[in-house]
């Protein structure tokens, strides 16, 4: 049994001012490697998570850094991503509604190699503030209708639910990743019956 190193590109999208850059800062601080100042409107940082004794997960987190105005990104930005965080501000209903546009933009431009939508978590940020502009029931319905893997309230400011929600995303990525089998298993008979048909039965 060897050790496994997983590298995942994770997108962080959503309207301006919802807390995306703060999330990047907060989440990558402990295992900070390098943050690049935005040059082409993209900022990214690396977070290394020792997932288990044998598994290391490296997350390359992409922040859209100032390109939020159009609720749309180029395909190049989404390219080869494994998962996505869509964030909105609980006190701002427009940012909540726009989460749907972000999700649609994402799904229209990228899917997993097997044809399934990218796992995407919805973060309702700034839960330390009040009043909230929408109810939990509304968010819950919205999350289900728009095919998120789930949602939770977060406060980047108070470090609430940040690591926890990222763990959910990592678990999902590990479960859906198309990592190659370990070397000892290579060359084995491929049971096509167990291979998912693109866009079918996997989501
Ligand atoms: P971005 O435009 O999505 O990258 O948002 P920023 O990370 O720049 O944050 C926008 C503003 O919201 C900043 O003033 C942050 O300090 C503030 N902010 C971010 N997260 C929180 C939070 O959880 N609670 C509160 N109260 N403010 C937050
Ligand atoms: Mg920002």
């Amino acid at each position: 049994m060897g050790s496994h190193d997983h590298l995942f590109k994770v997108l962080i999208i959503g309207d301006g001012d919802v807390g995306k850059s703060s999330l990047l800062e907060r989440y990558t601080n402990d295992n900070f490697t390098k943050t690049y100042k935005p040059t082409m409107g993209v900022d990214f940082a690396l977070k290394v998570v020792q997932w288990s004794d044998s598994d290391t997960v490296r997350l390359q987190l992409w922040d859209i850094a100032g390109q939020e105005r159009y609720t749309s990104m180029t395909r190049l930005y989404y390219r080869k991503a494994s998962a996505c965080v869509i964030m909105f501000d609980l006190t701002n209903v427009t940012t909540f509604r726009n989460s749907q546009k972000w999700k649609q933009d994402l799904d229209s431009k990228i899917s997993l190699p097997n044809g399934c939508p990218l796992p995407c978590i919805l973060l309702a940020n700034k839960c330390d503030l009040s009043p909230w502009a929408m109810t939990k029931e509304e968010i819950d319905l919205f999350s289900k209708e728009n095919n998120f893997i789930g949602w939770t309230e977060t406060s980047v400011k108070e470090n609430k639910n940040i690591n926890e929600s990222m763990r959910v995303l990592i678990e999902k990525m590990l479960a859906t990743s198309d990592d190659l089998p370990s070397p000892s298993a290579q060359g084995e008979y491929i049971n096509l019956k167990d291979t998912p048909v693109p866009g079918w039965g996997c989501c």
Side-chain angles (χ1 to χ4, degrees), residues 20-21 63 65-66 68:
K20 301 181 301 296
S21 301
D63 175 13
E68 298 101 338

Side-chain angles (χ1 to χ4, degrees), residues 16-22 68 125-126 128-129 155-157:
D17 271 345
V18 299
K20 301 181 301 296
S21 301
S22 305
E68 298 101 338
N125 193 39
K126 308 198 187 183
D128 55 286
L129 298 179
S155 170
V156 178
K157 186 180 176 191

Side-chain angles (χ1 to χ4, degrees), residues 69-137:
R69 224 168 315 152
Y70 310 106
T71 326
S72 163
M73 293 297 291
T74 63
R75 270 171 219 282
L76 205 61
Y77 174 80
Y78 292 139
R79 204 169 155 259
K80 293 196 174 171
S82 296
C84 181
V85 174
I86 292 183
M87 194 179 234
F88 69 93
D89 176 347
L90 269 168
T91 66
N92 181 330
V93 75
T94 307
T95 66
F96 173 58
R97 296 210 184 103
N98 279 342
S99 300
Q100 184 176 46
K101 295 186 185 160
W102 287 111
K103 183 69 163 66
Q104 286 168 353
D105 186 57
L106 178 80
D107 288 343
S108 71
K109 288 175 182 158
I110 185 175
S111 50
L112 293 176
N114 64 9
C116 292
L118 223 59
C120 187
I121 196 167
L122 182 65
L123 298 187
N125 193 39
K126 308 198 187 183
C127 70
D128 55 286
L129 298 179
S130 62
W132 293 9
M134 64 294 293
T135 65
K136 284 193 169 184
E137 289 71 28

